[in-house]
Amino acid sequence: IYKRRGNADPEIGSIMKHPKRIRFVFDCSASMYRFNGNDERLNRSLEAAALIMESFDEMNNRFIYSIVGHSGDSDCIPLVEFGNPPVTVKDRMKILQEMVAHTQYCQSGDHTLEAMQKAMHDVIESDPGGQNTDECIVIGISDANLRRYGIHPRQLGDIMRGRRFGASENLPKSFCIFIASLGDEADEIRRELPFGRGFICKNTKDLPSIVRDIL
């Protein structure tokens, strides 16, 4: 599906010629709202989104990012488009309000697999040929609530390995950060993902260091 990109991914320590292109995929499903009273998973998700928008505010020369959500209603809820980040505090607050509203009123269900697969496709398609991008990355932020919907963690691992695409060496790098867990489900999912691609973050203050490790 993906043709080989003309530019190889930059080596560690090399100077970036172009910005990295990042798509953040947030879980905006009904379970985020339903279980927020138990473990504040929705609060942590909103804090994570706010941190991302604030942190990338003055780094447009290094990173171009977008944010989408997913729920039982959709595998792609546009929140921030590539090249059009929120500028003011009011802009950022509006996006957070959209996330909350969606978790309140969406149908029960889960599109984690479809959302990650679509994000991996879209981040490449947003810059065909990779002429203006040093590297493409997808980061999913989830409450690790897959078992409830009959989704095996191996299915998510297969998508991240590119087994549904047929040309894994040309895929963007993909990662998942789990900000909540029912029992040990987050750890079970992490073990099925490609090595080093899954993280558990129960405290939002740890998120910046995780994202730095990824980037």
Side-chain angles (χ1 to χ4, degrees), residues 26-38:
F26 274 82
D27 190 337
C28 294
S29 61
S31 64
M32 296 293 290
Y33 185 81
R34 183 180 302 116
F35 295 112
N36 189 55
N38 296 343

Side-chain angles (χ1 to χ4, degrees), residues 156-172:
L156 179 58
D158 285 346
I159 287 174
M160 294 172 65
R161 292 181 179 91
R163 291 177 179 170
R164 296 195 181 189
F165 294 88
S168 60
E169 71 274 12
N170 299 322
L171 296 176

Side-chain angles (χ1 to χ4, degrees), residues 63-87:
F63 304 102
I64 299 175
Y65 77 96
S66 76
I67 299 177
V68 299
H70 69 86
S71 69
D73 287 350
S74 174
D75 61 2
C76 185
I77 305 158
L79 296 168
V80 177
E81 299 290 349
F82 284 114
N84 189 30
V87 176

Side-chain angles (χ1 to χ4, degrees), residues 7-181:
N7 299 325
D9 289 340
E11 296 180 359
I12 296 175
S14 63
I15 298 175
M16 292 173 57
K17 295 181 179 179
H18 304 287
K20 292 185 179 182
R21 190 169 291 255
I22 308 165
R23 168 152 287 186
F24 292 94
V25 183
F26 274 82
D27 190 337
C28 294
S29 61
S31 64
M32 296 293 290
Y33 185 81
R34 183 180 302 116
F35 295 112
N36 189 55
N38 296 343
D39 56 18
E40 297 189 335
R41 62 183 61 189
L42 178 56
N43 291 350
R44 287 202 296 277
S45 181
L46 297 174
E47 290 173 0
L51 278 172
I52 288 167
M53 290 186 284
E54 292 169 3
S55 299
F56 284 87
D57 188 37
E58 297 181 358
M59 295 191 290
N60 292 336
N61 60 326
R62 297 181 58 197
F63 304 102
I64 299 175
Y65 77 96
S66 76
I67 299 177
V68 299
H70 69 86
S71 69
D73 287 350
S74 174
D75 61 2
C76 185
I77 305 158
L79 296 168
V80 177
E81 299 290 349
F82 284 114
N84 189 30
V87 176
T88 67
V89 173
K90 183 178 179 180
D91 293 337
R92 293 193 285 268
M93 182 60 66
K94 183 178 179 181
I95 290 166
L96 300 180
Q97 290 171 340
E98 288 181 30
M99 294 173 67
V100 173
H102 199 86
T103 65
Q104 286 183 274
Y105 300 112
C106 67
Q107 296 293 320
S108 178
D110 189 278
H111 276 102
T112 298
L113 302 183
E114 296 86 350
M116 287 296 290
Q117 184 167 330
K118 180 172 176 55
M120 292 168 70
H121 175 269
D122 288 352
V123 73
I124 292 291
E125 291 299 309
S126 67
D127 182 27
Q131 299 301 312
N132 301 305
T133 305
D134 263 14
E135 187 176 15
C136 289
I137 298 171
V138 171
I139 301 176
I141 298 177
S142 168
D143 67 353
N145 192 21
L146 301 184
R147 186 185 302 140
R148 173 189 177 125
Y149 300 102
I151 301 172
H152 194 283
R154 190 177 302 113
Q155 295 174 267
L156 179 58
D158 285 346
I159 287 174
M160 294 172 65
R161 292 181 179 91
R163 291 177 179 170
R164 296 195 181 189
F165 294 88
S168 60
E169 71 274 12
N170 299 322
L171 296 176
K173 292 180 180 177
S174 57
F175 302 83
C176 280
I177 302 173
F178 301 107
I179 59 172
S181 179

